[in-house]
Amino acid sequence: MSKGTVVLAYSGGLDTSCILVWLKEQGYDVITYLANIGQDEDFEAARKKAESLGAKKVFIEDLRTEFVEHFIWPAVQANAVYEDRYLLGTAVARPCIARRQVEIARREGAQFVSHGATGKGNDQIRFELTCYALYPEVKVSLFIYCMDVIYRHCGVMSLQLERSRAPADLYLMTKNPEDSPNVQDVLEIEFKKGVPVKVTNMNDGISKNTALDIFSYLNEIGGKHGVGRIDIVENRFIGMKSRGIYETPGGTVLLKAHLDIETFTMDKEVRRIKQGLGIKFSELVYNGFWYSPECDFVRHCIAKSQENVEGKVQLSVFKGQVYILGRESPKSLYNEELVSMDVQGDYDPCDASGFIRINAVRLREHHRLQGLSSTKQ
Amino acid sequence: MSKGTVVLAYSGGLDTSCILVWLKEQGYDVITYLANIGQDEDFEAARKKAESLGAKKVFIEDLRTEFVEHFIWPAVQANAVYEDRYLLGTAVARPCIARRQVEIARREGAQFVSHGATGKGNDQIRFELTCYALYPEVKVSLFIYCMDVIYRHCGVMSLQLERSRAPADLYLMTKNPEDSPNVQDVLEIEFKKGVPVKVTNMNDGISKNTALDIFSYLNEIGGKHGVGRIDIVENRFIGMKSRGIYETPGGTVLLKAHLDIETFTMDKEVRRIKQGLGIKFSELVYNGFWYSPECDFVRHCIAKSQENVEGKVQLSVFKGQVYILGRESPKSLYNEELVSMDVQGDYDPCDASGFIRINAVRLREHHRLQGLSSTKQ
Amino acid sequence: MSKGTVVLAYSGGLDTSCILVWLKEQGYDVITYLANIGQDEDFEAARKKAESLGAKKVFIEDLRTEFVEHFIWPAVQANAVYEDRYLLGTAVARPCIARRQVEIARREGAQFVSHGATGKGNDQIRFELTCYALYPEVKVSLFIYCMDVIYRHCGVMSLQLERSRAPADLYLMTKNPEDSPNVQDVLEIEFKKGVPVKVTNMNDGISKNTALDIFSYLNEIGGKHGVGRIDIVENRFIGMKSRGIYETPGGTVLLKAHLDIETFTMDKEVRRIKQGLGIKFSELVYNGFWYSPECDFVRHCIAKSQENVEGKVQLSVFKGQVYILGRESPKSLYNEELVSMDVQGDYDPCDASGFIRINAVRLREHHRLQGLSSTKQ
Amino acid sequence: MSKGTVVLAYSGGLDTSCILVWLKEQGYDVITYLANIGQDEDFEAARKKAESLGAKKVFIEDLRTEFVEHFIWPAVQANAVYEDRYLLGTAVARPCIARRQVEIARREGAQFVSHGATGKGNDQIRFELTCYALYPEVKVSLFIYCMDVIYRHCGVMSLQLERSRAPADLYLMTKNPEDSPNVQDVLEIEFKKGVPVKVTNMNDGISKNTALDIFSYLNEIGGKHGVGRIDIVENRFIGMKSRGIYETPGGTVLLKAHLDIETFTMDKEVRRIKQGLGIKFSELVYNGFWYSPECDFVRHCIAKSQENVEGKVQLSVFKGQVYILGRESPKSLYNEELVSMDVQGDYDPCDASGFIRINAVRLREHHRLQGLSSTKQ
């Protein structure tokens, strides 16, 4: 007599294998679920292992395109950076993965979901908040109990997009900049509505134009040149500081390119407001609130701001760096108009003096008042 | 019979020489003023030229230490970056230069100040707002009139810390990363109250411990490795977009190092509030409001936030990049305490589940309501 | 031979009559334009006066419905209050009035627009920014020159929705609360998408359901009870402080009602973000930037946030005050669900303890560190 | 053999009496603690009751002056209002009360603290966060368990400064405005550094000049005229919406007076930044983070902003409303200077035109670009 069905986020590794066995021992039917979001994994080996350990069903889902289009692209639009440095790799992956997991749980009539994320980390929160938000009746609590026992025996789950530095061979996606090529790659990235729609390598003419291909290619080129490695201390949602060592080659290239085309095509004051929303977005995503009313709202506002973020950015990638070389856009004839303005006489230098003197009204009064105070004292 | 005395910010170049002559022709006594903020300039040649053109007095002032300590250091504390990319080189220099100019004007009894900044640029605004704020009775308006005439003949003043790329030999402070050394420099920078107090090169043991020496040395090392070049489009205060090509080698090293030690030693939520203040500071400084009540206020708040920003950051500089290698601080035993927390049993995994479920209360209600709405429709 | 055509915002008063005559004397054809936004004015008398003074054409436009629906309603959605107190009466009217004026100017082929707003005030800015934004080629500068002369002779234009207190009979729309009825009116206001769609007086059953009728009725009832009088010091865009004495009876009732239904139906965190956008909106509108990319953007975001702001608010109006009595909404079953939560056992008190302890992790560490510091010193 | 000592926040009511008895039954020594923060309570009766129920020690502490000076005054400086309406009565009292409780616990060597705040409310959070922040080793968890049992038998603790409306005689501090006097009181409140230092009733000359006397008197006068009643829905920290009915007569008078003198004496742009900090402060205090690094930081910044907030505000209190009548300040000669400015010719109307045209540069470009887009399509 089964106590119910659990959909377990299964990696094929020791830790989630332990959970699988333990859950079965406790009397649960276990469905394993493994998401392919582009990691380097032997999915068939994981399937066989899950089956051999008694999984009732095994789901292996290719979420790569969905991940890039619906999770990474909004982060690109937002210029999402947590605490000025972290580009939110797994923070963005987690809601994508958990969403499909609860879809499977609903479809299979499972009341429980489980996962291998640790008790102190952000990933537990991101996973569980997504589950509660999308499947309010689901139970995830049982896992924790088990995890507390298992955790000490199974070791730590390894993250996909981010890795802890300790060993020298830590980085999987990026070359050491010292060992990277001595010749730069020059890329042209084309944006529409704030997301890349095409990338072309000006060196060899290679071109990509689907979301998944573009992102994979930028990971490849960025990685080849050692772009996007960081070693930081970050503040977790629960209030601890922790060290993180990350590599996000494609994300770093896109951040620089998007920042450039955005500033080129977006009104200055819209940009200021949108900058604040982007910071808010980053905090929400980092803390696990992708599926929340406020993150929906912020994503909507940011997407609105991107309507005219369109054009091409040329950049070079070299020895760990991304250099913007230039940009062009049908939506930004601004510059040419403005340069020619004082030729046409539309811009009157006297206006600037008036502008400055009006801005100084307040400053002059402030100074007079201060003089007054100091005289009195 | 003199119409009055003008203190002219004089560079020794064609443009301000034109203004000098023109002012004298109009019947003014002219005092020239040239600030040394570290630029590569033949100050004695400028002095002779000014004298030969009829300057009544010539002031050449060494503001280098003041510039670093009172203008660059607060920008370091603020992590000051305008529009996510520009490190505010001349924007920070301008109030430093203009402050001394109005001091001289007051002391010499001059009613007028003049400068060579162009009519469409930010620098005119920064210069004039500083003058009005610190010397409300001063007149700067006469200059504009003259400038309008002279501008077309004299060409553009070249900026000190920032340069327009056009020619290949544009960059003065930084090597081309392609031509930079193949061996990295490893530095250790020590901070107290959020400003650097010492830098040591781990390769050769060279060490600097005064503000001016530290900043000069970081400019040297950063420049040697091609750090801090950017090519951006930025939004000027007056609403135009313009292209800017800048090099800030020392500033870039310090930004990265300060960000790291700050996140390491500052409370997470203080950091969030301070991040907003830093963005505000950057906008104010960019727009020329260094001497304003709000910038005073923001600087005070930011300085307060830096009381515990103390410790050492190790970093390498290589091929245009700065890599943080590690950090340590007497003010941040955080990490060690926290790592040991679950060993001590102080951190209870059940708490995290409760924390998550309480955070999910709102998300679950939202989802239920949405389900309700969609059922009804 | 005409120098061109001017569309003049004409009030029928002395000041704009002076401008009309002066413009004709200078050789311009003058078209007068008078907007009806609900003020108490003899429009036919103004028409005759304009004609008798030589206006080439006279436009009197009824903008009342447009004003309420497209200008006041967005301000209601935003909870627009400038500097915590001012409800933005004329600030909202000005872009509505100027928009039609430039439409007329375009249609009539007029190159010039003119108005009677004073040189130091916000209204000049609001008027002119709207003109430039919607009709970039228009000229408004000529007026200023004339105004400088005329201003001193013609006296100050009286504002429609806001009035300066000085004389005892200053207030036009509101009764003195001391003289207002001793019996309260109880109203029920129904909102959809954050704007009122119906108001019903529970005392007598009177009901209104068009935008103009609703707003007029709330002005009437609010005015009868002396609601919405304020005497404030405010900061003008140009940096001066000035005293303002305003009466906004209907706006005050709507602000209180909207705040209530909004908090009732909007997610807490969406509300926080939207609150910030509302403050931004208020500053933009106050400063004259209704027609700007950033105000467009903010209005769009705020409108998005209002999708579920729906329901009925009951309130009483009495002796200068508005008291919320209750509210109900089909979009907010929240409360009932939540009250019953701990009955159903969905809410576990242990979760709250976990939630608190996790929130305290950071606070406890901070305290320990402080203790450490003080011990060392 | 005692299991340890508990310091219990004891009200003398049924609920905390239950807890007292239960704790003793479980084998704990119980010290009761009752704070006098101005509530109407028979403290001696509470003392006797606690002793008769077996309390080992009984502390009754007069915190009234400390409460007003160190907790209410900072809230006045901040213009603290949660979600635009709630003046934070008990939210401010809770950290004041809990601080002394943990001081007693430390002094008496008690490892445990307990309280009667309910499991779903904000007050539990505020209490416990304060305890953890100031006494990290303290245990408060045991209480919850007990509370879960006791809660259902003992009824709800009644709040001090805020009350639920249900019965007609709910309000304790304020008269029904309908029954309040027909003659207004006119008060003059004098501020220094943003806090009131004197209040004078212009009707009868009564004057108060200590913190406690001022606040008590404003509660009395405000209450007499029915000021400060609200019925709202608010968002609790834990994500539930709940209804709250509050009365804060003195706080409402002070909020209006402080807003007025602040805007009068504070620079416009400082005010904008400080407004954001005040909103942050309100959220922090509402959520229980009075004793946190970020609230310390925000309080420091706000206090800094208040240095020149000095002067006298005249206001009338009548039928539930507070009307500002006027203000004066030695720190704000602004107005007079500014009014006389255009007399002196310091303010040039041409400057305003230049100011406007420069502000319009961006708007005109935006419009042109839009026209371009629409033409192309």
Side-chain angles (χ1 to χ4, degrees), chain A residues 185-189 191 200 202 218 221 253-254 256-258 313-317 321-326:
Chain A
D185 274 290
V186 176
L187 304 179
E188 181 176 88
I189 303 178
F191 287 87
T200 306
M202 310 306 272
L218 293 175
I221 297 294
V253 175
L254 280 172
K256 299 242 174 174
H258 182 266
V313 177
Q314 295 82 38
L315 53 87
S316 72
V317 188
Q321 261 291 28
V322 179
Y323 298 92
I324 301 297
L325 303 176

PDB file of all heavy atoms in Angstrom, chain A residues 185-189 191 200 202 218 221 253-254 256-258 313-317 321-326:
ATOM      1  N   ASP A 185      37.937  37.123 -31.429  1.00  0.00           N
ATOM      2  CA  ASP A 185      36.779  36.921 -32.291  1.00  0.00           C
ATOM      3  C   ASP A 185      35.964  38.205 -32.290  1.00  0.00           C
ATOM      4  O   ASP A 185      35.763  38.823 -31.247  1.00  0.00           O
ATOM      5  CB  ASP A 185      35.905  35.761 -31.772  1.00  0.00           C
ATOM      6  CG  ASP A 185      36.389  34.414 -32.287  1.00  0.00           C
ATOM      7  OD1 ASP A 185      36.244  34.166 -33.492  1.00  0.00           O
ATOM      8  OD2 ASP A 185      36.936  33.618 -31.481  1.00  0.00           O
ATOM      9  N   VAL A 186      35.516  38.586 -33.469  1.00  0.00           N
ATOM     10  CA  VAL A 186      34.654  39.768 -33.576  1.00  0.00           C
ATOM     11  C   VAL A 186      33.257  39.305 -33.953  1.00  0.00           C
ATOM     12  O   VAL A 186      33.060  38.614 -34.949  1.00  0.00           O
ATOM     13  CB  VAL A 186      35.191  40.756 -34.631  1.00  0.00           C
ATOM     14  CG1 VAL A 186      34.218  41.926 -34.802  1.00  0.00           C
ATOM     15  CG2 VAL A 186      36.565  41.274 -34.218  1.00  0.00           C
ATOM     16  N   LEU A 187      32.314  39.672 -33.100  1.00  0.00           N
ATOM     17  CA  LEU A 187      30.935  39.237 -33.307  1.00  0.00           C
ATOM     18  C   LEU A 187      30.027  40.426 -33.574  1.00  0.00           C
ATOM     19  O   LEU A 187      30.283  41.543 -33.104  1.00  0.00           O
ATOM     20  CB  LEU A 187      30.402  38.523 -32.058  1.00  0.00           C
ATOM     21  CG  LEU A 187      31.185  37.325 -31.526  1.00  0.00           C
ATOM     22  CD1 LEU A 187      30.506  36.780 -30.274  1.00  0.00           C
ATOM     23  CD2 LEU A 187      31.285  36.238 -32.592  1.00  0.00           C
ATOM     24  N   GLU A 188      28.962  40.159 -34.313  1.00  0.00           N
ATOM     25  CA  GLU A 188      27.883  41.144 -34.436  1.00  0.00           C
ATOM     26  C   GLU A 188      26.615  40.481 -33.932  1.00  0.00           C
ATOM     27  O   GLU A 188      26.221  39.424 -34.435  1.00  0.00           O
ATOM     28  CB  GLU A 188      27.721  41.587 -35.880  1.00  0.00           C
ATOM     29  CG  GLU A 188      26.614  42.622 -36.031  1.00  0.00           C
ATOM     30  CD  GLU A 188      26.504  43.132 -37.460  1.00  0.00           C
ATOM     31  OE1 GLU A 188      25.763  42.504 -38.241  1.00  0.00           O
ATOM     32  OE2 GLU A 188      27.168  44.125 -37.788  1.00  0.00           O
ATOM     33  N   ILE A 189      26.014  41.107 -32.935  1.00  0.00           N
ATOM     34  CA  ILE A 189      24.777  40.555 -32.373  1.00  0.00           C
ATOM     35  C   ILE A 189      23.636  41.506 -32.719  1.00  0.00           C
ATOM     36  O   ILE A 189      23.733  42.711 -32.481  1.00  0.00           O
ATOM     37  CB  ILE A 189      24.879  40.397 -30.842  1.00  0.00           C
ATOM     38  CG1 ILE A 189      26.092  39.513 -30.493  1.00  0.00           C
ATOM     39  CG2 ILE A 189      23.601  39.780 -30.275  1.00  0.00           C
ATOM     40  CD1 ILE A 189      26.315  39.321 -29.009  1.00  0.00           C
ATOM     41  N   PHE A 191      19.719  42.605 -32.157  1.00  0.00           N
ATOM     42  CA  PHE A 191      18.641  42.539 -31.167  1.00  0.00           C
ATOM     43  C   PHE A 191      17.326  43.017 -31.767  1.00  0.00           C
ATOM     44  O   PHE A 191      17.301  43.940 -32.591  1.00  0.00           O
ATOM     45  CB  PHE A 191      18.956  43.454 -29.983  1.00  0.00           C
ATOM     46  CG  PHE A 191      20.042  42.935 -29.082  1.00  0.00           C
ATOM     47  CD1 PHE A 191      21.382  43.207 -29.347  1.00  0.00           C
ATOM     48  CD2 PHE A 191      19.723  42.185 -27.967  1.00  0.00           C
ATOM     49  CE1 PHE A 191      22.386  42.735 -28.518  1.00  0.00           C
ATOM     50  CE2 PHE A 191      20.726  41.709 -27.120  1.00  0.00           C
ATOM     51  CZ  PHE A 191      22.060  41.981 -27.403  1.00  0.00           C
ATOM     52  N   THR A 200      26.537  36.878 -35.640  1.00  0.00           N
ATOM     53  CA  THR A 200      27.418  36.557 -36.760  1.00  0.00           C
ATOM     54  C   THR A 200      28.861  36.755 -36.328  1.00  0.00           C
ATOM     55  O   THR A 200      29.192  37.775 -35.722  1.00  0.00           O
ATOM     56  CB  THR A 200      27.120  37.493 -37.955  1.00  0.00           C
ATOM     57  OG1 THR A 200      25.730  37.423 -38.258  1.00  0.00           O
ATOM     58  CG2 THR A 200      27.934  37.076 -39.173  1.00  0.00           C
ATOM     59  N   MET A 202      32.292  37.749 -37.385  1.00  0.00           N
ATOM     60  CA  MET A 202      32.850  38.499 -38.509  1.00  0.00           C
ATOM     61  C   MET A 202      34.160  37.875 -39.002  1.00  0.00           C
ATOM     62  O   MET A 202      34.594  38.166 -40.113  1.00  0.00           O
ATOM     63  CB  MET A 202      33.097  39.965 -38.120  1.00  0.00           C
ATOM     64  CG  MET A 202      31.912  40.635 -37.463  1.00  0.00           C
ATOM     65  SD  MET A 202      30.384  40.529 -38.409  1.00  0.00           S
ATOM     66  CE  MET A 202      30.538  41.983 -39.455  1.00  0.00           C
ATOM     67  N   LEU A 218      27.284  31.657 -28.185  1.00  0.00           N
ATOM     68  CA  LEU A 218      27.931  32.668 -27.351  1.00  0.00           C
ATOM     69  C   LEU A 218      28.624  32.018 -26.157  1.00  0.00           C
ATOM     70  O   LEU A 218      29.685  32.477 -25.720  1.00  0.00           O
ATOM     71  CB  LEU A 218      26.923  33.723 -26.904  1.00  0.00           C
ATOM     72  CG  LEU A 218      26.380  34.596 -28.036  1.00  0.00           C
ATOM     73  CD1 LEU A 218      25.295  35.540 -27.505  1.00  0.00           C
ATOM     74  CD2 LEU A 218      27.505  35.403 -28.697  1.00  0.00           C
ATOM     75  N   ILE A 221      31.913  30.672 -27.825  1.00  0.00           N
ATOM     76  CA  ILE A 221      32.917  31.707 -28.126  1.00  0.00           C
ATOM     77  C   ILE A 221      33.411  32.375 -26.841  1.00  0.00           C
ATOM     78  O   ILE A 221      34.615  32.590 -26.656  1.00  0.00           O
ATOM     79  CB  ILE A 221      32.341  32.766 -29.097  1.00  0.00           C
ATOM     80  CG1 ILE A 221      31.995  32.124 -30.433  1.00  0.00           C
ATOM     81  CG2 ILE A 221      33.328  33.924 -29.278  1.00  0.00           C
ATOM     82  CD1 ILE A 221      33.194  31.598 -31.211  1.00  0.00           C
ATOM     83  N   VAL A 253      28.724  38.041 -22.423  1.00  0.00           N
ATOM     84  CA  VAL A 253      28.725  38.696 -23.736  1.00  0.00           C
ATOM     85  C   VAL A 253      27.391  39.402 -23.972  1.00  0.00           C
ATOM     86  O   VAL A 253      27.345  40.566 -24.396  1.00  0.00           O
ATOM     87  CB  VAL A 253      28.996  37.666 -24.860  1.00  0.00           C
ATOM     88  CG1 VAL A 253      28.868  38.329 -26.225  1.00  0.00           C
ATOM     89  CG2 VAL A 253      30.372  37.025 -24.688  1.00  0.00           C
ATOM     90  N   LEU A 254      26.304  38.695 -23.654  1.00  0.00           N
ATOM     91  CA  LEU A 254      24.979  39.282 -23.898  1.00  0.00           C
ATOM     92  C   LEU A 254      24.703  40.489 -23.017  1.00  0.00           C
ATOM     93  O   LEU A 254      24.094  41.465 -23.454  1.00  0.00           O
ATOM     94  CB  LEU A 254      23.888  38.223 -23.684  1.00  0.00           C
ATOM     95  CG  LEU A 254      23.716  37.276 -24.863  1.00  0.00           C
ATOM     96  CD1 LEU A 254      22.764  36.141 -24.499  1.00  0.00           C
ATOM     97  CD2 LEU A 254      23.170  38.039 -26.082  1.00  0.00           C
ATOM     98  N   LYS A 256      26.836  42.685 -21.881  1.00  0.00           N
ATOM     99  CA  LYS A 256      27.551  43.858 -22.405  1.00  0.00           C
ATOM    100  C   LYS A 256      26.892  44.379 -23.687  1.00  0.00           C
ATOM    101  O   LYS A 256      26.763  45.583 -23.896  1.00  0.00           O
ATOM    102  CB  LYS A 256      29.012  43.489 -22.685  1.00  0.00           C
ATOM    103  CG  LYS A 256      29.745  43.035 -21.434  1.00  0.00           C
ATOM    104  CD  LYS A 256      30.898  43.949 -21.114  1.00  0.00           C
ATOM    105  CE  LYS A 256      31.528  43.555 -19.791  1.00  0.00           C
ATOM    106  NZ  LYS A 256      32.730  44.322 -19.506  1.00  0.00           N
ATOM    107  N   ALA A 257      26.513  43.440 -24.545  1.00  0.00           N
ATOM    108  CA  ALA A 257      25.922  43.857 -25.812  1.00  0.00           C
ATOM    109  C   ALA A 257      24.553  44.499 -25.584  1.00  0.00           C
ATOM    110  O   ALA A 257      24.224  45.530 -26.177  1.00  0.00           O
ATOM    111  CB  ALA A 257      25.792  42.658 -26.745  1.00  0.00           C
ATOM    112  N   HIS A 258      23.779  43.896 -24.688  1.00  0.00           N
ATOM    113  CA  HIS A 258      22.437  44.436 -24.446  1.00  0.00           C
ATOM    114  C   HIS A 258      22.491  45.805 -23.790  1.00  0.00           C
ATOM    115  O   HIS A 258      21.741  46.725 -24.153  1.00  0.00           O
ATOM    116  CB  HIS A 258      21.616  43.469 -23.584  1.00  0.00           C
ATOM    117  CG  HIS A 258      20.224  43.967 -23.347  1.00  0.00           C
ATOM    118  ND1 HIS A 258      19.882  44.688 -22.229  1.00  0.00           N
ATOM    119  CD2 HIS A 258      19.110  43.905 -24.113  1.00  0.00           C
ATOM    120  CE1 HIS A 258      18.605  45.024 -22.311  1.00  0.00           C
ATOM    121  NE2 HIS A 258      18.107  44.559 -23.436  1.00  0.00           N
ATOM    122  N   VAL A 313      25.042  45.252 -32.486  1.00  0.00           N
ATOM    123  CA  VAL A 313      26.215  45.626 -31.697  1.00  0.00           C
ATOM    124  C   VAL A 313      27.405  44.822 -32.207  1.00  0.00           C
ATOM    125  O   VAL A 313      27.307  43.601 -32.362  1.00  0.00           O
ATOM    126  CB  VAL A 313      25.994  45.328 -30.203  1.00  0.00           C
ATOM    127  CG1 VAL A 313      27.238  45.659 -29.395  1.00  0.00           C
ATOM    128  CG2 VAL A 313      24.784  46.098 -29.689  1.00  0.00           C
ATOM    129  N   GLN A 314      28.500  45.527 -32.479  1.00  0.00           N
ATOM    130  CA  GLN A 314      29.732  44.833 -32.848  1.00  0.00           C
ATOM    131  C   GLN A 314      30.644  44.802 -31.624  1.00  0.00           C
ATOM    132  O   GLN A 314      30.792  45.815 -30.934  1.00  0.00           O
ATOM    133  CB  GLN A 314      30.470  45.555 -33.995  1.00  0.00           C
ATOM    134  CG  GLN A 314      29.701  45.563 -35.307  1.00  0.00           C
ATOM    135  CD  GLN A 314      28.669  46.673 -35.333  1.00  0.00           C
ATOM    136  OE1 GLN A 314      28.911  47.768 -34.840  1.00  0.00           O
ATOM    137  NE2 GLN A 314      27.495  46.395 -35.890  1.00  0.00           N
ATOM    138  N   LEU A 315      31.237  43.650 -31.381  1.00  0.00           N
ATOM    139  CA  LEU A 315      32.092  43.523 -30.205  1.00  0.00           C
ATOM    140  C   LEU A 315      33.191  42.519 -30.479  1.00  0.00           C
ATOM    141  O   LEU A 315      33.063  41.656 -31.362  1.00  0.00           O
ATOM    142  CB  LEU A 315      31.274  43.118 -28.982  1.00  0.00           C
ATOM    143  CG  LEU A 315      30.379  41.868 -29.105  1.00  0.00           C
ATOM    144  CD1 LEU A 315      31.187  40.615 -28.765  1.00  0.00           C
ATOM    145  CD2 LEU A 315      29.201  41.991 -28.145  1.00  0.00           C
ATOM    146  N   SER A 316      34.282  42.655 -29.733  1.00  0.00           N
ATOM    147  CA  SER A 316      35.332  41.642 -29.827  1.00  0.00           C
ATOM    148  C   SER A 316      35.432  40.909 -28.494  1.00  0.00           C
ATOM    149  O   SER A 316      35.145  41.474 -27.432  1.00  0.00           O
ATOM    150  CB  SER A 316      36.674  42.281 -30.192  1.00  0.00           C
ATOM    151  OG  SER A 316      37.180  43.014 -29.102  1.00  0.00           O
ATOM    152  N   VAL A 317      35.835  39.646 -28.578  1.00  0.00           N
ATOM    153  CA  VAL A 317      35.990  38.813 -27.386  1.00  0.00           C
ATOM    154  C   VAL A 317      37.445  38.366 -27.373  1.00  0.00           C
ATOM    155  O   VAL A 317      37.938  37.812 -28.362  1.00  0.00           O
ATOM    156  CB  VAL A 317      35.055  37.586 -27.465  1.00  0.00           C
ATOM    157  CG1 VAL A 317      35.056  36.831 -26.150  1.00  0.00           C
ATOM    158  CG2 VAL A 317      33.644  38.009 -27.845  1.00  0.00           C
ATOM    159  N   GLN A 321      37.861  39.236 -21.891  1.00  0.00           N
ATOM    160  CA  GLN A 321      37.132  40.504 -21.956  1.00  0.00           C
ATOM    161  C   GLN A 321      36.211  40.588 -23.178  1.00  0.00           C
ATOM    162  O   GLN A 321      36.426  39.882 -24.182  1.00  0.00           O
ATOM    163  CB  GLN A 321      38.118  41.674 -22.027  1.00  0.00           C
ATOM    164  CG  GLN A 321      38.373  42.360 -20.707  1.00  0.00           C
ATOM    165  CD  GLN A 321      37.195  43.142 -20.166  1.00  0.00           C
ATOM    166  OE1 GLN A 321      36.040  42.839 -20.437  1.00  0.00           O
ATOM    167  NE2 GLN A 321      37.488  44.151 -19.376  1.00  0.00           N
ATOM    168  N   VAL A 322      35.232  41.451 -23.062  1.00  0.00           N
ATOM    169  CA  VAL A 322      34.331  41.769 -24.166  1.00  0.00           C
ATOM    170  C   VAL A 322      34.459  43.269 -24.419  1.00  0.00           C
ATOM    171  O   VAL A 322      34.280  44.061 -23.487  1.00  0.00           O
ATOM    172  CB  VAL A 322      32.878  41.436 -23.797  1.00  0.00           C
ATOM    173  CG1 VAL A 322      31.936  41.784 -24.940  1.00  0.00           C
ATOM    174  CG2 VAL A 322      32.746  39.969 -23.404  1.00  0.00           C
ATOM    175  N   TYR A 323      34.816  43.644 -25.643  1.00  0.00           N
ATOM    176  CA  TYR A 323      34.956  45.065 -25.969  1.00  0.00           C
ATOM    177  C   TYR A 323      33.899  45.458 -26.985  1.00  0.00           C
ATOM    178  O   TYR A 323      33.822  44.856 -28.067  1.00  0.00           O
ATOM    179  CB  TYR A 323      36.345  45.349 -26.562  1.00  0.00           C
ATOM    180  CG  TYR A 323      37.472  45.038 -25.614  1.00  0.00           C
ATOM    181  CD1 TYR A 323      38.079  43.778 -25.630  1.00  0.00           C
ATOM    182  CD2 TYR A 323      37.909  45.976 -24.695  1.00  0.00           C
ATOM    183  CE1 TYR A 323      39.109  43.476 -24.746  1.00  0.00           C
ATOM    184  CE2 TYR A 323      38.937  45.683 -23.812  1.00  0.00           C
ATOM    185  CZ  TYR A 323      39.537  44.429 -23.840  1.00  0.00           C
ATOM    186  OH  TYR A 323      40.549  44.140 -22.959  1.00  0.00           O
ATOM    187  N   ILE A 324      33.119  46.464 -26.634  1.00  0.00           N
ATOM    188  CA  ILE A 324      32.130  46.979 -27.582  1.00  0.00           C
ATOM    189  C   ILE A 324      32.880  47.815 -28.616  1.00  0.00           C
ATOM    190  O   ILE A 324      33.673  48.695 -28.269  1.00  0.00           O
ATOM    191  CB  ILE A 324      31.092  47.853 -26.862  1.00  0.00           C
ATOM    192  CG1 ILE A 324      30.378  47.042 -25.779  1.00  0.00           C
ATOM    193  CG2 ILE A 324      30.097  48.442 -27.865  1.00  0.00           C
ATOM    194  CD1 ILE A 324      29.577  45.868 -26.259  1.00  0.00           C
ATOM    195  N   LEU A 325      32.615  47.534 -29.891  1.00  0.00           N
ATOM    196  CA  LEU A 325      33.311  48.271 -30.952  1.00  0.00           C
ATOM    197  C   LEU A 325      32.414  49.311 -31.618  1.00  0.00           C
ATOM    198  O   LEU A 325      32.888  50.313 -32.140  1.00  0.00           O
ATOM    199  CB  LEU A 325      33.811  47.296 -32.016  1.00  0.00           C
ATOM    200  CG  LEU A 325      34.729  46.180 -31.511  1.00  0.00           C
ATOM    201  CD1 LEU A 325      35.085  45.225 -32.650  1.00  0.00           C
ATOM    202  CD2 LEU A 325      36.004  46.767 -30.897  1.00  0.00           C
ATOM    203  N   GLY A 326      31.116  49.055 -31.604  1.00  0.00           N
ATOM    204  CA  GLY A 326      30.213  50.004 -32.233  1.00  0.00           C
ATOM    205  C   GLY A 326      28.807  49.463 -32.223  1.00  0.00           C
ATOM    206  O   GLY A 326      28.567  48.334 -31.772  1.00  0.00           O
TER     207      GLY A 326
END
